Amino acid sequence: MSLSSATSDLPARRKLRLDPRSAALIEASVIPLAALLASALIFSLFLTLLGKDPIRFFALVWTGGVASSFSFQNTLQRAAPLILTGLAFAVPARIGMTLLGAEGALVLGGLASALVAIPMVLAGWPVWLGLPIMALAAMAVGGVWMGIAGWLRHYRGVNETISSLLLTYIAVAIMNFLVEGVFRDPGSTNKASTMPLGPDWRIGDMPGTSVHWGLAAGVIIAVLLWVLMERTTFGFAARIAGGNLRAAQAQGLAVGKLAVASCAIAGACAGLAGFFEVTAVHGQANASLAAQYGFTGILVAFLARQNPLAVVPVALLFGALGASGGLIQRRMDMPDATMLVLQGIIFVTLLVSETLYGRLPFLSTEQAGDRT
Amino acid sequence: MIKANTKPRAPALEALHVSKSFGGNKALDDVTLKVDAGSFHALLGENGAGKSTLVKCIMGFYQADKGQLLFSGKEAQIQSPREAHALGIGMVYQHFTLVPCLTAAENLVISRPDTPMVIDWAAERAQLETFMETMPFRVRLDAQVATLSAGEKQKLEILKLLYLDQRFLILDEPTSVLTPAEADEVLGVLGEMARRGEVSVLMISHKFREVTAFCDSFTVLRRGKFAGSGDARNANVAELSAMMIGDAGVRPPAIREPTVPEGPELELRGISARDEEGRALVSDLSFNVRSGEILGIAGVSGNGQSALVELLSGQRPVARGELRVNGAVFEPTRRNFDRFKVFGLPEEPLRNAVVPRMSVAENIAFRSFDKPPVARRFGLISPAGIRRRGAELIRQFNVQTSSPDAPIETLSGGNVQRSVLARELSGDVDILIVSNPCFGLDFASVADIRSKIMDCRNRGAAVLLISEDLDEIFEMSDKIAVMSDGRLSDPVPVAQTDARRVGNLLAGQSGLSAPKPDRA
């Protein structure tokens, strides 16, 4: 094993000479796209083995997710909560935390907004005042819930991945306990639910569409969080702490506060998704809140490389997959778990593709002799 | 494969005229090392002297560029550690290589190159017990390694080599993880085994006391060259340290200007800190560093210096005592770093000072990103501002990088350290805390970095320099103190001490102020 084989001794190989920022951008686009392509191929193989036509499958995804205005709006509708839950994974990831608790924060956020609505509806408060209070309640509860995971991590050394995952089960149990117990609406006979919000208290669709306002909120928050993480002192400090905790400490940065704040922001995003699920989709809080949006959000954030802006298009992609699920089930006679198989394959190829960063042979900005 | 009766059959080893270069850097230059059969030989030298490189050439990790290896008188070509093991050369590394969750017996059996697919544990146990009978020290075979003390683990590492029938033992600073009592026991037993002709031992060390107390002979390396060898039992510490350190002054030393001790002052009063398991890392440190003064703290790695830097830079909480800057109590927070103009150059910058994946310009902005002009209203920052300021400092501090946007991990060690200097020393500095700033760097970078630190002192900063490099301590310091076992000797002006006295203190011997063996 000789060390003299360091690249510095070799003549410069033929490589694209790019400035580091463009190289990073190309890398961050090419690798996830390649991973998507690879998962599509693997999934095609899976379909072929089942005796189904993969081309027909992808055609149906197009038809069911994008082709008509109805199907596209269906996609947008499903993308709205995915943007928010994707952000809930992406933001703590920048500080080096793997937070899986968006599902729990979403459920509790939705529950909180449904519960604070009850006295306001009964007292006849104006809707313009009530809805923001509901949204704030949802964000506060989600934020505190995930803040717990951040606090445990920093001050007690508890692994945030495990604690946030376990907190999700607690959150779902709390919701079931309250919805099936004291807050159950006597009218909800089939599925235990809280008191239904009247039509006045529902958030409507954006003008000219059948897509609720949650999508607009998601896009705006994605932009705001991009600015927060890329263009503010908070984001810069979070990147230092995420990149090298010891260096962040040596710079005197309040790493504990940064960690808790990042988790709280994540929880607030997920809680807001819960608020939109309640006010725009279900009209009440019930077990339907736990619809796996929190977990799909992890996948969204992964594919988006934790970039808040990229979360938006990726959420649309997964929205389209979800929207076309029903159509595929009917036309191709396949179980609805098919889409979960595809998601799983995407996740695995993405994880594998993580190993490619810095190794694309045609992409290098390293100068000969830079490394010694 | 295990023979119950150990006949005297220690091998001899000679490495003749070995040279090894990495790139343009000569790590070993015509070095000769001779270890007689049945001797306990010490290999001495400072960091970067080439000890590890030489040992790695013997073990087959590296191939020497030139030179010859004789093992028991026969020429040996060792291409890999596996071949070294086959010849009977085994090594104990500075860090344990045992599997903590397995028992001692399991660790021994799995270390064998021929471990069978199905292990007959009853037979192995019987064999291990007979083996243990013949050994001078024992380790409980059923004990899980994680539950063993450091001393027992080190014994088990040595037993492992003997179990594998390796009779030429290379130990890389084997006592750095042991308490003095454990160290004495292990070394004593090894010495006896060598005398009985059962093994030959080559030990890398920088503890003179161990060398003179336990070894038979020694070889000293300095900057990749043979610096001397002799009989360890009659060697004196002054001779050894003179060989290790050599006469400094290869490089023009940084220019020291007269300064007035008025202005910023760093003061420690009774500082103690403990590690996660509650063991004392540093105890009752009290000293002060005045304006225009460099206080050099010498010490062998692992005697509490890292802990001292960590608690000054906020990476470790202070258990007891008080830090003061300019008379006011100082808590190591970002606001106080700025208020008191406290800056630092931690050791291993890639681990302690930079974010490897962030760009050079961003890393240079760590001190300034939350202050104008980089930070504007609402905490917004300007990436263009970061890049512009970064490019300016890159030029000023002569950092070699392809672009301010290149990730700092793509730079060489010297350039990473220059980037950190650019960040920490570009403004007004009142207090500077420096730890092993030149470790592993080439001579040009060393001169550059030392002169920057000296400039800082000349401008009136109070500089605390912690270094394992005695040359550096003597070149840079106004006062010198020695850290040993978490305690500090009284700082003495550099003119009133010399390498011999510092060497004695380094080895933990009583000197100017004897550290008490107090482990409260």
Side-chain angles (χ1 to χ4, degrees):
Chain A
M1 236 174 71
S2 150
L3 276 194
S4 62
S5 65
T7 45
S8 54
D9 294 343
L10 299 173
R13 273 174 278 169
R14 277 184 188 282
K15 284 170 180 173
L16 285 179
R17 271 310 166 96
L18 290 166
D19 70 283
R21 278 188 297 160
S22 335
L25 190 65
I26 293 178
E27 198 173 49
S29 333
V30 168
I31 292 176
L33 285 176
L36 269 187
L37 194 67
S39 38
L41 289 174
I42 296 170
F43 189 66
S44 303
L45 196 69
F46 169 74
L47 289 175
T48 316
L49 286 176
L50 287 179
K52 310 278 180 190
D53 178 7
I55 295 172
R56 181 138 187 269
F57 174 85
F58 290 106
L60 283 174
V61 169
W62 180 260
T63 320
V66 188
S68 67
S69 93
F70 171 79
S71 56
F72 189 57
Q73 291 188 6
N74 190 357
T75 294
L76 294 178
Q77 190 91 1
R78 286 164 187 270
L82 288 181
I83 295 175
L84 290 167
T85 54
L87 292 171
F89 183 85
V91 169
R94 295 308 287 272
I95 195 165
M97 300 176 86
T98 307
L99 205 66
L100 305 182
E103 183 83 1
L106 184 153
V107 164
L108 282 191
L111 179 70
S113 59
L115 295 187
V116 297
I118 296 173
M120 297 194 291
V121 170
L122 295 179
W125 283 27
V127 175
W128 60 263
L129 181 64
L131 283 175
I133 290 177
M134 287 167 67
L136 286 178
M139 291 169 74
V141 169
V144 168
W145 195 247
M146 285 298 89
I148 294 174
W151 187 88
L152 283 173
R153 167 63 202 240
H154 192 78
Y155 296 98
R156 286 287 171 272
V158 180
N159 181 309
E160 78 285 358
T161 311
I162 312 257
S163 69
S164 63
L165 193 61
L166 296 181
L167 280 169
T168 294
Y169 293 107
I170 299 173
V172 173
I174 290 175
M175 182 204 47
N176 286 332
F177 174 74
L178 293 179
V179 167
E180 289 170 16
V182 280
F183 290 105
R184 178 170 188 161
D185 181 59
S188 62
T189 45
N190 287 333
K191 189 174 198 176
S193 303
T194 57
M195 189 187 81
L197 300 171
D200 294 349
W201 285 78
R202 302 288 294 273
I203 280 195
D205 295 336
M206 293 185 284
T209 67
S210 60
V211 181
H212 65 74
W213 283 98
L215 181 71
V219 173
I220 291 167
I221 288 172
V223 173
L224 287 178
L225 287 181
W226 182 84
V227 172
L228 180 74
M229 297 317 283
E230 299 293 328
R231 290 288 184 274
T232 68
T233 53
F234 175 88
F236 198 87
R239 283 165 62 204
I240 299 175
N244 185 348
L245 191 62
R246 292 179 63 86
Q249 285 172 331
Q251 290 296 322
L253 296 172
V255 285
K257 283 182 194 157
L258 284 170
V260 175
S262 301
C263 291
I265 290 171
C269 288
L272 191 66
F275 162 78
F276 281 108
E277 284 299 290
V278 165
T279 53
V281 180
H282 303 301
Q284 54 195 178
N286 57 36
S288 306
L289 280 174
Q292 307 287 311
Y293 282 125
F295 294 115
T296 311
I298 299 166
L299 197 47
V300 169
F302 250 88
L303 196 52
R305 298 287 301 154
Q306 276 59 286
N307 180 330
L309 285 185
V311 159
V312 174
V314 176
L316 287 177
L317 175 73
F318 280 93
L321 288 180
S324 55
L327 190 68
I328 284 160
Q329 203 178 339
R330 288 193 302 278
R331 295 272 189 84
M332 292 185 77
D333 190 25
M334 289 173 68
D336 60 352
T338 313
M339 284 308 187
L340 289 178
V341 174
L342 177 55
Q343 284 191 4
I345 292 174
I346 294 176
F347 199 52
V348 172
T349 49
L350 268 180
L351 290 177
V352 173
S353 76
E354 289 285 313
T355 61
L356 294 176
Y357 286 88
R359 295 193 190 175
L360 290 188
F362 57 89
L363 208 63
S364 172
T365 56
E366 209 171 284
Q367 273 186 335
D370 259 359
R371 271 184 203 274
T372 50
Chain B
M1 61 173 283
I2 311 297
K3 293 180 190 96
N5 56 332
T6 40
K7 282 170 287 183
R9 57 210 169 94
L13 183 134
E14 290 175 58
L16 305 171
H17 308 290
V18 177
S19 296
K20 175 74 187 166
S21 301
F22 298 112
N25 179 18
K26 273 207 160 176
L28 289 176
D29 188 3
D30 193 25
V31 169
T32 291
L33 169 79
K34 291 183 183 175
V35 183
D36 295 337
S39 70
F40 192 164
H41 193 95
L43 180 57
L44 291 157
E46 291 194 286
N47 281 318
K51 303 176 305 253
S52 307
T53 312
L54 177 58
V55 163
K56 283 178 176 170
C57 287
I58 295 173
M59 284 301 291
F61 284 105
Y62 301 148
Q63 306 304 315
D65 300 335
K66 266 185 262 166
Q68 198 185 14
L69 199 64
L70 297 179
F71 191 68
S72 295
K74 281 183 296 231
E75 171 145 20
Q77 292 277 351
I78 301 176
Q79 305 288 338
S80 71
R82 190 181 288 254
E83 292 182 27
H85 294 157
L87 278 175
I89 307 177
M91 182 158 171
V92 173
Y93 300 87
Q94 240 172 327
H95 301 284
F96 296 122
T97 58
L98 300 164
V99 183
C101 60
L102 298 183
T103 64
E106 287 165 339
N107 265 288
L108 289 176
V109 173
I110 60 162
S111 68
R112 262 164 44 191
D114 62 341
T115 314
M117 282 287 279
V118 179
I119 298 171
D120 178 357
W121 280 109
E124 295 290 348
R125 275 304 300 253
Q127 218 175 21
L128 281 172
E129 269 157 24
T130 10
F131 164 73
M132 278 292 182
E133 297 281 295
T134 66
M135 286 295 119
F137 42 70
R138 310 269 149 85
V139 174
R140 283 169 299 130
L141 286 169
D142 294 322
Q144 203 191 346
V145 165
T147 65
L148 299 177
S149 70
E152 288 176 303
K153 285 182 196 164
Q154 194 66 283
K155 285 181 198 164
L156 185 57
E157 292 275 7
I158 294 168
L159 284 174
K160 194 163 88 178
L161 300 187
L162 298 173
Y163 174 70
L164 298 175
D165 212 22
Q166 284 157 356
R167 297 287 159 169
F168 192 90
L169 310 182
I170 300 177
L171 312 174
D172 189 359
E173 297 187 29
T175 58
S176 59
V177 288
L178 304 183
T179 65
E182 285 174 331
D184 287 357
E185 190 195 346
V186 170
L187 296 180
V189 169
L190 283 172
E192 278 167 33
M193 289 182 74
R195 256 188 299 289
R196 287 201 299 269
E198 294 170 10
V199 293
S200 309
V201 184
L202 173 62
M203 175 174 78
I204 296 183
S205 181
H206 19 222
K207 295 185 186 161
F208 299 135
R209 188 188 65 86
E210 293 177 354
V211 174
T212 51
F214 296 102
C215 296
D216 308 317
S217 50
F218 68 90
T219 298
V220 181
L221 301 185
R222 184 170 71 237
R223 299 211 178 101
K225 292 198 174 116
F226 175 81
S229 65
D231 187 331
R233 281 159 301 204
N234 305 324
N236 72 49
V237 171
E239 275 173 33
L240 288 176
S241 52
M243 278 187 210
M244 266 171 75
I245 296 162
D247 24 41
V250 180
R251 191 171 17 75
I255 297 156
R256 181 188 307 274
E257 288 166 9
T259 53
V260 197
E262 273 173 20
E265 181 175 16
L266 170 70
E267 192 181 353
L268 276 76
R269 289 191 187 169
I271 290 285
S272 298
R274 297 172 179 282
D275 69 5
E276 285 66 24
E277 278 132 45
R279 286 184 294 249
L281 290 167
V282 294
S283 324
D284 201 21
L285 299 182
S286 295
F287 62 86
N288 57 352
V289 192
R290 293 196 290 182
S291 171
E293 170 183 278
I294 297 180
L295 172 63
I297 295 190
V300 177
S301 162
N303 274 289
Q305 303 95 315
S306 316
L308 172 59
V309 176
E310 284 170 352
L311 51 89
L312 286 171
S313 61
Q315 292 173 316
R316 181 180 290 284
V318 174
R320 217 174 40 234
E322 217 170 50
L323 298 170
R324 283 170 175 270
V325 173
N326 306 343
V329 175
F330 171 77
E331 252 188 84
T333 61
R334 192 167 178 83
R335 189 187 307 170
N336 284 337
F337 288 152
D338 292 337
R339 185 172 145 215
F340 294 110
K341 303 202 179 77
V342 178
F343 292 82
L345 303 173
E347 61 188 347
E348 295 180 75
L350 277 175
R351 194 164 97 87
N352 288 306
V354 304
V355 176
R357 283 202 202 147
M358 286 170 85
S359 75
V360 180
E362 286 173 329
N363 271 291
I364 288 177
F366 282 6
R367 283 301 290 236
S368 59
F369 75 88
D370 54 355
K371 300 165 197 67
V374 173
R376 292 174 302 194
R377 270 185 301 170
F378 312 120
L380 289 174
I381 53 174
S382 135
I386 288 178
R387 209 171 303 125
R388 201 162 40 229
R389 178 82 179 127
E392 207 177 290
L393 288 172
I394 284 170
R395 216 172 317 113
Q396 201 180 320
F397 281 78
N398 196 20
V399 180
Q400 302 296 315
T401 172
S402 56
S403 145
D405 297 322
I408 200 162
E409 61 186 350
T410 61
L411 268 55
S412 70
N415 285 313
V416 171
Q417 189 64 294
R418 282 198 191 94
S419 310
V420 178
L421 285 170
R423 173 174 89 206
E424 302 287 331
L425 302 187
S426 51
D428 278 349
V429 180
D430 278 356
I431 310 283
L432 181 63
I433 297 153
V434 187
S435 174
N436 290 316
C438 302
F439 181 72
L441 303 184
D442 56 290
F443 285 108
S445 304
V446 168
D448 204 19
I449 285 161
R450 288 189 188 158
S451 74
K452 289 277 193 312
I453 295 169
M454 189 58 85
D455 284 349
C456 225
R457 166 205 174 272
N458 294 342
R459 286 198 301 264
V463 180
L464 178 64
L465 168 70
I466 292 153
S467 178
E468 288 161 31
D469 181 347
L470 279 181
D471 278 357
E472 184 165 78
I473 293 281
F474 275 96
E475 178 187 328
M476 302 289 292
S477 309
D478 295 283
K479 285 184 184 168
I480 295 180
V482 175
M483 200 153 186
S484 173
D485 201 16
R487 288 166 183 279
L488 198 69
S489 68
D490 290 328
V492 186
V494 70
Q496 296 172 22
T497 188
D498 54 34
R500 188 183 58 80
R501 283 188 225 178
V502 169
N504 284 344
L505 289 170
L506 277 182
Q509 291 179 357
S510 58
L512 299 172
S513 64
K516 277 167 280 176
D518 168 22
R519 291 188 161 268

